[in-house]
Amino acid sequence: MSDVAPATPATAPDTRRGFASDNHAAVHPEVVEALVAANEGHAPAYGADALTAATRNRFREHFGPDADAWLVFNGSGANVASIDALTRSFEAVICTETAHMNVDECGAPERIAGSKLFAVATEHGKLTPGDVSRWEARRGDDHFPQPRLVSITQATELGTVYTLDETRAIADATHRLEMLLHVDGARLANAAAELDASLGELTTEAGVDVVSFGGTKNGLMFGEAVVFLRPGLGEGFEFVRKQLGQLASKMRYVAVQFDALLRDDLWLRTARHANAMAGRLADRLAELAGVEVVHPVEANAVFARLPRPAIDRLLSDWPYEQPFYLWDEARDEVRWMCSWDTTEDEVDRFGAAIAEAVASG
Ligand SMILES: Cc1ncc(COP(=O)(O)O)c(C=O)c1O
């Protein structure tokens, strides 16, 4: 008889959900199916397999014939590797104060890419062309970090979306100063769904040079991509990716997930649904005294202010261990995030719970 302890018995899956993050969502069944189908036999490692080659081509269908896509593990890695690839030691990145790379990557861009970030205060998380050109005065001054990359997030960290014209105007301001435009597209799909635009229209055709394209928040188990959109920009990126620990040995499992996402427009179906659920929640709140939605709801997030006792009640009463994040404690501001697997029924029950919590004073 074996003296090895038996594995923990399987329990029924916990089907409860919250509104904390699209990262809390399960993996989409079509992605699971694709993973299972790929899980046969051997395949060359480190991206030398046929599935990875096919997936890189799949990116070209969406982003245009020059798209040069490199698969990585996570979004922070995609951002840091993009910066590292496109800046020299004395060059800087212009981004927003609320940018994930500024506040949620633990200083990785500064430590690993070695780039200074010029973080700009914004309204609703969106950079403007003026934010790009205002650093121009000290270009050429050897005491000052030289701006080289502009990074915008689409959809933004505050659930807003740049229109195609807004993106184009930022790209023009960026290129006028011989800089490059990066898009943190952890939620690019949600922006495309909102604008009813293709991924190429949103990026390549609007003047974007490189994208960190998200998969994890939109139904993948894990995986993001750095997509260079202009010939030559991705040159040597395979070395950067490896140095930064973002090269998967069993690459086929990242590739097959993206293939599933980009095939048959799964990326769009999931993003449209998540956005619709956020819109539905915002509609539920529109008439509710005591709740103020603080940013336009244009993607899959709702940001709101409400009395602190109501927040505390919701956090303790909603039957899921981390129902949502208290985004800005000082302002009693919360973030409610929807994902591909949020249901209408959950939104309606959550809306009712918010109404009840606010009414209880
Ligand atoms: C705007 C944005 N960029 C990038 C990321 C990716 O981060 P991670 O390194 O957790 O995959 C996130 C995740 O929260 C995000 O919200």
Side-chain angles (χ1 to χ4, degrees):
M1 222 176 84
S2 163
D3 57 359
V4 176
T8 311
T11 51
D14 186 346
T15 56
R16 294 173 300 176
R17 300 178 178 102
F19 294 82
S21 171
D22 31 14
N23 278 335
H24 287 218
V27 181
H28 194 282
E30 289 179 39
V31 175
V32 174
E33 271 170 38
L35 276 165
V36 171
N39 194 33
E40 278 291 338
H42 285 203
Y46 298 111
D49 61 295
L51 257 172
T52 301
T55 300
R56 296 187 81 205
N57 275 329
R58 184 79 71 195
F59 273 91
R60 291 189 189 103
E61 289 171 16
H62 291 273
F63 289 91
D66 290 329
D68 185 12
W70 302 85
L71 307 182
V72 297
F73 286 112
N74 56 45
S76 301
N79 287 342
V80 172
S82 300
I83 297 170
D84 195 49
L86 298 176
T87 59
R88 289 177 288 178
S89 60
F90 53 87
E91 290 178 330
V93 181
I94 300 168
C95 63
T96 66
E97 257 179 15
T98 46
H100 193 269
M101 65 171 60
N102 187 44
V103 288
D104 279 314
E105 293 176 7
C106 196
E110 291 92 337
R111 177 181 171 182
I112 296 173
S115 289
K116 176 155 185 76
L117 301 186
F118 288 129
V120 178
T122 64
E123 195 186 5
H124 305 312
K126 287 162 70 171
L127 211 68
T128 66
D131 295 327
V132 171
S133 44
R134 74 185 228 203
W135 307 95
E136 186 48 15
R138 296 190 68 182
R139 185 171 293 269
D141 174 348
D142 61 4
H143 297 268
F144 194 71
Q146 300 293 293
R148 171 62 178 156
L149 198 64
V150 173
S151 182
I152 60 174
T153 307
Q154 173 79 308
T156 72
E157 289 80 0
L158 302 182
T160 52
V161 162
Y162 293 88
T163 64
L164 296 183
D165 285 346
E166 286 170 337
T167 305
R168 215 169 279 122
I170 292 171
D172 288 347
T174 300
H175 295 150
R176 220 173 289 127
L177 298 173
E178 294 177 10
M179 298 189 289
L180 297 169
L181 181 58
H182 167 258
V183 166
D184 178 343
R187 299 187 182 89
L188 192 69
N190 302 87
E194 162 73 7
L195 297 174
D196 208 10
S198 71
L199 296 172
E201 284 171 322
L202 228 61
T203 55
T204 320
E205 292 171 36
V208 175
D209 298 296
V210 59
V211 183
S212 300
F213 181 64
T216 315
K217 295 176 193 317
N218 199 20
L220 299 200
M221 182 180 292
F222 65 93
E224 313 279 306
V226 176
V227 192
F228 295 96
L229 302 171
R230 314 284 164 213
L233 282 185
E235 211 169 286
F237 189 73
E238 61 270 45
F239 304 107
V240 174
R241 180 177 62 174
K242 178 62 181 171
Q243 281 192 326
L244 270 49
Q246 288 285 328
L247 175 63
S249 54
K250 290 193 174 175
M251 184 69 83
R252 67 172 142 156
Y253 295 97
V254 189
V256 76
Q257 294 182 72
F258 271 110
D259 187 59
L261 191 70
L262 294 173
R263 193 186 342 125
D264 302 332
D265 285 343
L266 175 61
W267 64 275
L268 185 56
R269 288 182 272 132
T270 44
R272 269 194 187 136
H273 176 81
N275 289 6
M277 292 303 99
R280 188 179 179 98
L281 182 58
D283 289 346
R284 296 284 171 283
L285 306 175
E287 303 299 320
L288 212 54
V291 178
E292 180 199 356
V293 174
V294 293
H295 302 298
V297 177
E298 296 171 342
N300 59 330
V302 178
F303 287 79
R305 293 181 69 192
L306 62 165
R308 188 57 189 264
I311 294 175
D312 291 341
R313 194 164 299 125
L314 278 166
L315 282 172
S316 62
D317 290 357
W318 187 253
Y320 173 71
E321 57 189 309
Q322 189 179 30
F324 56 88
Y325 288 115
L326 183 47
W327 187 257
D328 184 339
E329 205 157 346
R331 285 168 43 84
D332 293 338
E333 188 177 315
V334 299
R335 183 185 80 167
W336 293 320
M337 198 97 199
C338 297
S339 48
W340 71 267
D341 65 352
T342 305
T343 66
E344 289 184 355
D345 178 57
E346 276 158 349
V347 169
D348 294 347
R349 283 192 296 118
F350 193 58
I354 295 167
E356 202 182 309
V358 173
S360 315

